[in-house]
Amino acid sequence: PADETTADTTAPAAENDVSTISETETEAEDTELLPDIPKLDFEGRTFTILTSGLNDTNGKDWITYDVYAESINGEPINDAVYERNAYVGDKYGVKFIEYTVADYFSQQTEFSQSVNAGTDEYDMAALKPEGVVSSFINNGYLIDLKTVPHIDLEREWYDQNSISQMSLGGRVFSVMGDMLTMDDDATAAVFFNKKLADSNGLPNLYDMVNEGTWTIDKLTEYAAAAANDANGDGAMDEKNDVWGALSEYATTFALISGSGYTMINKDENDIPIDASMDEHYIAMYEKVLKLQNNWDITLYAEGVSGYSDVWTQCMDVTFQSDRALFNVCWLNRASLFREMETDFGIIPMPKYDETQDGYHSFVHMYCANCIIIPKTNRDLDRTGVIIEALSAASVDTLKPAYYDKALKGKGSRDEESSKMLDIIFATRIFDLGYMFNWGSVYTNVGSLAGKKGGDISGYSSTMQKAAKLVPKTIQKTMDKVDEIE
């Protein structure tokens, strides 16, 4: 492909990491979860994966790093990717090529041009669902993963919530799992500053989560009590004052989804249906707006100006300098805050109320990546073997490196936060409304976010005007899905 830069392409030779690989093979007999795939030798053929690079809009913190590693460098994630790829590459006789497009906005163009040209350039891709993978499904560019030989979607290395919630009419075109960690980074959570929690006399937040009493009302109550015009000038200022919470546009949907309700549900035939007017969804949205749109309590990222990167230059600085009690954000922040002097904790998105059965953790589909296969792939047998092998090998390499070393070990600083991560990852929620924006459903839902005050009037009329468009655009997607063999 023209005008792009290819990553250093060849997978590391097995002999470069003999000790690690031999340990893996030795332990495999007793502990490794083995894929049910044939022992094949592809004699040095390449396996090319399309990924995204730096996104100027999202910043340097959302670069794909879970597909390829050039060498061992002492970083747990990098070394785990290197080990995994070396192991699979040696075992099946393949060399990995990561082809990285410049940014998120190039994903759609690069992939679409390749498919439309009928070229077999990419064996698989790891790209973002929202607006990109959704467009590929709408255009019939993807293979139903259920039809790919050797891929067993029921195995534990695939996220079963992503499969059940992102499927369409029983077809599965994309999946998240242990092979990738960008979706883990893009999972929502609430970080809290322990110093401010203590000084404000908050109860033990971990106990509240465990007891089922961590709710949106409690988050709002505690945030309101903590907000403080520290310099006494009569106006809340992001550079000087103390905030109850930090948030952004996308966390609107994360907080709403904490109720377990999403913009799009599915019927008994796995067909998407509009749920944005569900009374429970609206009730949670109203509570969210009372927190998020109260700019005397909440510092809202899109409401701040004067920064080239508002997250790293303003939001992160505010939290790390003990001027925000809560930070409603994404788990990639755990590693970014590893040098923070004050201890912080991590808890799930709050419930709607105490009667709600369990917590729900929204995955930001603009920043996550998922596994997809282009319809131009001419060797699905080999592709299935390698995807399954990489996924299975990630269970004992990449997954523990991310979960225990990079996140639990360095990111979260106490045993309680580690347990909270278990809850968060087990309760992930994927909203097809955010992924496809059928009939502008998520655009319309989000139209009230970022407006000062907590007024939800006008929501019903806005959604009712678009109500006919949502099922029509869903049907267009399903018609294309039905055409796929």
Side-chain angles (χ1 to χ4, degrees), residues 6-11 41-49 68 88-89 92-99 120-124 377-379 382-383 386 390:
T6 305
D8 193 0
T9 59
T10 306
D41 184 355
F42 296 110
E43 301 178 340
R45 292 182 61 187
T46 57
F47 189 88
T48 305
I49 304 174
Y68 180 82
V88 173
Y92 295 97
V94 294
K95 295 181 179 180
F96 293 100
I97 294 176
E98 179 187 27
Y99 185 84
D120 185 14
E121 293 179 278
Y122 307 112
D123 296 287
M124 66 160 275
N377 185 305
R378 299 191 183 111
D379 194 347
R382 179 174 62 95
T383 298
I386 299 306
L390 285 172

Side-chain angles (χ1 to χ4, degrees), residues 300-408:
Y300 184 73
E302 286 83 358
V304 179
S305 60
Y307 301 92
S308 59
D309 185 336
V310 69
W311 286 274
T312 59
Q313 296 172 2
C314 175
M315 308 298 280
D316 291 351
V317 170
T318 301
F319 186 70
Q320 291 177 292
S321 59
D322 301 332
R323 290 189 296 105
L325 172 59
F326 295 117
N327 190 355
V328 185
C329 57
W330 317 102
L331 283 175
N332 77 318
R333 261 42 211 169
S335 59
L336 297 178
F337 294 158
R338 68 178 60 178
E339 304 301 328
M340 181 173 167
E341 184 174 339
T342 301
D343 281 340
F344 63 86
I346 303 173
I347 51 181
M349 289 290 110
K351 297 179 178 181
Y352 173 77
D353 60 25
E354 294 184 13
T355 65
Q356 180 178 312
D357 184 16
Y359 297 93
H360 300 279
S361 306
F362 178 85
V363 176
H364 190 354
M365 294 205 209
Y366 187 86
C367 296
N369 283 339
C370 60
I371 298 168
I372 56 173
I373 301 176
K375 70 175 185 179
T376 47
N377 185 305
R378 299 191 183 111
D379 194 347
L380 290 178
D381 193 75
R382 179 174 62 95
T383 298
V385 166
I386 299 306
I387 288 178
E388 192 76 356
L390 285 172
S391 298
S394 297
V395 173
D396 292 322
T397 54
L398 183 57
K399 181 179 180 180
Y402 179 87
Y403 199 76
D404 294 323
K405 299 176 187 176
L407 193 55
K408 280 190 175 181

Side-chain angles (χ1 to χ4, degrees), residues 185-344:
D185 274 354
T187 302
V190 178
F191 290 54
F192 67 93
N193 182 300
K194 289 189 175 182
K195 180 187 293 186
L196 291 179
D198 289 342
S199 64
N200 282 276
L202 266 61
N204 188 304
L205 296 176
Y206 300 125
D207 288 345
M208 292 184 68
V209 172
N210 291 326
E211 294 164 2
T213 59
W214 173 236
T215 66
I216 185 67
D217 289 339
K218 288 298 184 183
L219 171 55
T220 303
E221 175 189 340
Y222 299 153
N228 176 28
D229 177 17
N231 64 358
D233 65 356
M236 292 299 287
D237 171 2
E238 83 273 7
K239 294 182 179 179
N240 299 293
D241 296 324
V242 178
W243 296 87
L246 307 179
S247 72
E248 61 179 276
Y249 176 78
T251 57
T252 308
F253 304 91
L255 286 164
I256 300 171
S257 296
S259 67
Y261 289 87
T262 52
M263 290 172 278
I264 297 292
N265 288 337
K266 290 191 286 186
D267 65 17
E268 64 277 7
N269 297 314
D270 201 40
I271 306 301
I273 55 176
D274 186 1
S276 61
M277 286 295 291
D278 184 282
E279 61 178 321
H280 296 94
Y281 190 87
I282 296 174
M284 185 61 165
Y285 192 19
E286 186 169 19
K287 288 179 180 288
V288 169
L289 288 185
K290 287 179 180 177
L291 168 72
Q292 186 139 303
N293 285 8
N294 186 337
W295 291 2
D296 290 327
I297 296 174
T298 301
L299 181 61
Y300 184 73
E302 286 83 358
V304 179
S305 60
Y307 301 92
S308 59
D309 185 336
V310 69
W311 286 274
T312 59
Q313 296 172 2
C314 175
M315 308 298 280
D316 291 351
V317 170
T318 301
F319 186 70
Q320 291 177 292
S321 59
D322 301 332
R323 290 189 296 105
L325 172 59
F326 295 117
N327 190 355
V328 185
C329 57
W330 317 102
L331 283 175
N332 77 318
R333 261 42 211 169
S335 59
L336 297 178
F337 294 158
R338 68 178 60 178
E339 304 301 328
M340 181 173 167
E341 184 174 339
T342 301
D343 281 340
F344 63 86

